[in-house]
């Protein structure tokens, strides 16, 4: 049975922040000491990020006016913000409750917007009435009834649609979501699964001098992505991706190097400097079972979708696997243009490959807390006679 991803659609918030602006903003905050400011400039400059998106317009305005200029900065009578003092342009540190309220308000809209876009891309072959399963993914906030309920109700899906939410799994959570979708389709050839990932990472930015926080501030961004997956033989809008096989591996070391926890002032990211080295040491072994089962070899796989957790991670994967620069180009472009949006990011990379429409095997992988390495093999099939 062939299970296909018919479409991938991505959505980003309107507010764009430019890396050079946000570098100045964080480096010149009152809470930063001299060493911290140097670390900000080094980490932000070497992150491989040029622009990102955020659901916080005030963050974009503060970045664009840093260093503080009274003539250009927001005025004291501007709309109140829990993140930015409008009189000074200084960043604030709201509590977890305030951050999660903003997550609830903004994530609901993005879940629905991304899901609707994916379904509209597959119409008339697939419509809302055809959806049998919804899988939602997020690690940057919580609310209940959850995103799965919101997507089902706001998109007018059948009342008996089967729902699953994968929460707090981190940057590689799109893989278990896609695997759950493939399992549902293999169990029921008529199944249609809508997968939606939404992450609002900028809600958890902090002004601190420690390396982990600074690196997170340099990389993370907001975005959403959705995909429609089915085994039905229906028209598709263009090229499709067959879901061939999946693999998951827990590295024997590194659990303390990549972690995500709930603090009093938002969620706390641990992004240790040894993560790229751990990935370098274990990525080949993590891929081995997948390649053995499918009979593929790394040199024979033309297209790669590697989660851009940071430039150094991409560098290590490229070097260890002997990949060419052009094979890493989609991942590096996503990192540069929209940053690291946690679980949604790999779908942004896959969307680029799907849009390019080059047929052949695609290897995808991402890394998350644990330290866990998720991977998949997909097969990109070009459109045929108006059908994907």
């Amino acid at each position: 049975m062939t299970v296909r991803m018919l479409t991938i659609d991505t959505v980003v918030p309107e507010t764009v922040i430019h890396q050079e602006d946000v570098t100045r903003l964080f480096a010149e905050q009152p809470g930063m000491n001299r060493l911290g400011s140097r670390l900000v400039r080094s980490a932000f400059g070497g992150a491989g990020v040029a622009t990102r998106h955020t659901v916080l317009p005030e963050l974009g305005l503060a970045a664009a006016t840093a260093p503080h200029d009274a003539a250009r900065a927001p005025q004291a009578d501007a709309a109140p913000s829990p993140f930015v003092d409008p009189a000074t342009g200084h960043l604030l540190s709201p509590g977890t409750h305030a951050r999660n309220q903003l997550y609830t308000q903004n994530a609901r809209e993005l879940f629905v917007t991304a899901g609707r876009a994916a379904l509209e891309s597959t119409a008339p072959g697939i419509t809302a009435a055809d959806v049998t399963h919804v899988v939602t993914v997020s690690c940057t906030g919580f609310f209940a009834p959850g995103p799965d309920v919101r997507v089902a109700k706001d998109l007018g899906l059948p009342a008996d649609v089967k729902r699953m939410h994968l929460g707090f799994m981190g940057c590689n959570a799109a893989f278990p979501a896609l695997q759950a979708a493939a399992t549902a389709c293999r169990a029921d050839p008529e199944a249609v699964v809508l997968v939606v990932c939404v992450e609002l990472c900028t809600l958890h930015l902090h002004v601190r001098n420690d390396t982990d926080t600074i690196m997170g501030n340099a990389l993370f961004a907001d975005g959403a992505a959705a995909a429609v997956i089915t085994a039905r033989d229906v028209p598709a809008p263009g090229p499709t991706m067959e879901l061939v096989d999946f693999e998951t591996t827990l590295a024997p070391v590194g659990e303390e190097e990549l972690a995500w926890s709930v603090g009093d002032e938002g969620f706390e990211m641990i992004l240790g400097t040894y993560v790229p080295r751990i990935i370098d040491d274990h990525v080949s072994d993590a891929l081995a079972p997948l390649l053995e089962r499918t009979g593929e070899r790394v040199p024979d796989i033309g297209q790669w979708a590697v989660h851009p957790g940071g430039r150094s991670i991409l560098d290590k994967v490229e070097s260890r696997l002997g990949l060419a620069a052009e094979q890493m180009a989609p991942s590096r472009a996503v990192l540069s243009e929209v940053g690291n949006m946690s679980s949604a990011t790999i779908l942004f990379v896959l969307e680029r490959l799907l849009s390019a429409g080059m047929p052949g095997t695609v290897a995808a992988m991402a890394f998350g807390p644990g330290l866990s390495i998720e991977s998949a093999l997909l097969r990109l099939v070009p459109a045929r006679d108006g059908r994907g």
Side-chain angles (χ1 to χ4, degrees):
M1 181 185 300
T2 300
V3 178
R4 299 183 299 160
M5 187 153 47
L6 301 183
T7 186
I8 304 172
D9 285 82
T10 58
V11 180
V12 291
E14 290 184 4
T15 299
V16 181
I17 52 176
H18 296 269
Q19 192 77 337
E20 61 270 24
D21 294 337
V22 78
T23 300
R24 290 194 300 271
L25 177 67
F26 277 89
E28 296 169 7
Q29 291 300 304
M32 300 301 295
N33 59 34
R34 186 175 300 177
L35 175 59
S37 294
R38 287 204 300 267
L39 288 173
V40 165
R41 293 187 173 91
S42 174
F44 282 54
V49 177
T51 55
R52 290 178 274 171
H53 294 256
T54 177
V55 294
L56 300 171
E58 62 269 38
L59 181 61
L61 182 57
T65 57
H68 177 65
D69 180 340
R72 296 186 299 145
Q75 299 302 307
D77 59 353
S81 163
F83 279 90
V84 180
D85 181 344
T88 64
H90 295 161
L91 298 180
L92 306 174
S93 187
T96 302
H97 174 70
R99 295 176 193 256
N100 198 65
Q101 279 187 315
L102 287 169
Y103 171 85
T104 301
Q105 295 164 13
N106 290 279
R108 283 177 173 175
E109 180 180 351
L110 284 170
F111 270 109
V112 174
T113 300
R116 180 177 289 116
L119 286 176
E120 289 178 349
S121 293
T122 58
I126 297 292
T127 67
D130 295 305
V131 177
T132 59
H133 298 70
V134 170
V135 183
T136 54
V137 181
S138 189
C139 71
T140 46
F142 304 95
F143 59 88
D148 52 318
V149 172
R150 195 73 278 134
V151 168
K153 287 191 171 183
D154 288 3
L155 295 183
L157 306 184
D160 63 349
V161 65
K162 296 176 177 61
R163 297 175 287 104
M164 174 188 298
H165 180 68
L166 300 179
F168 222 61
M169 289 190 69
C171 290
N172 56 14
F175 284 83
L178 294 176
Q179 188 169 14
T183 299
C185 293
R186 292 188 176 109
D188 176 6
E190 291 301 306
V192 175
V193 186
L194 176 62
V195 173
V196 190
C197 302
V198 173
E199 303 290 7
L200 306 184
C201 304
T202 66
L203 295 180
H204 302 289
L205 299 178
H206 303 86
V207 177
R208 294 177 185 162
N209 290 284
D210 67 274
T211 304
D212 289 347
T213 300
I214 290 171
M215 184 55 65
N217 291 343
L219 291 168
F220 285 109
D222 302 345
V228 175
I229 297 157
T230 187
R232 292 187 187 183
D233 186 16
V234 294
T240 60
M241 277 188 177
E242 298 176 2
L243 306 184
V244 178
D245 201 0
F246 294 85
E247 182 63 35
T248 182
T249 301
L250 286 173
V253 296
E255 184 172 345
E256 71 286 352
E257 292 291 328
L258 184 56
W260 189 231
S261 62
V262 179
D264 292 337
E265 297 179 340
F267 297 173
E268 309 283 350
M269 167 59 75
I270 296 175
L271 188 59
T273 56
Y274 287 102
V275 169
R277 184 183 303 177
I278 295 168
I279 291 172
D280 185 28
D281 289 342
H282 297 283
V283 66
S284 295
D285 290 341
L287 280 173
L290 184 64
L291 299 177
E292 184 177 349
R293 285 198 305 271
T294 57
E296 296 281 357
R297 297 171 60 250
V298 168
D300 299 330
I301 299 173
Q303 302 181 77
W304 290 78
V306 181
H307 169 67
R311 189 171 74 176
S312 58
I313 289 175
L314 295 179
D315 290 345
K316 291 294 187 184
V317 172
E318 179 179 335
S319 175
R320 173 62 64 179
L321 298 181
L323 303 181
E326 58 266 25
Q327 291 175 300
M328 299 296 291
S331 295
R332 294 190 189 277
V334 167
L335 179 63
S336 176
E337 295 170 21
V338 290
N340 180 348
M341 300 160 289
S342 192
S343 70
T345 319
I346 194 65
L347 292 177
F348 277 70
V349 182
L350 289 172
E351 180 196 34
R352 285 177 178 259
L353 296 178
L354 191 60
S355 297
M358 182 181 299
T361 301
V362 177
M365 67 176 64
F367 319 97
L371 196 152
S372 59
I373 302 174
E374 299 281 350
S375 56
L377 282 181
L378 308 97
R379 186 169 293 110
L380 200 152
V381 180
R384 62 183 191 281
D385 298 327
R387 297 166 66 89

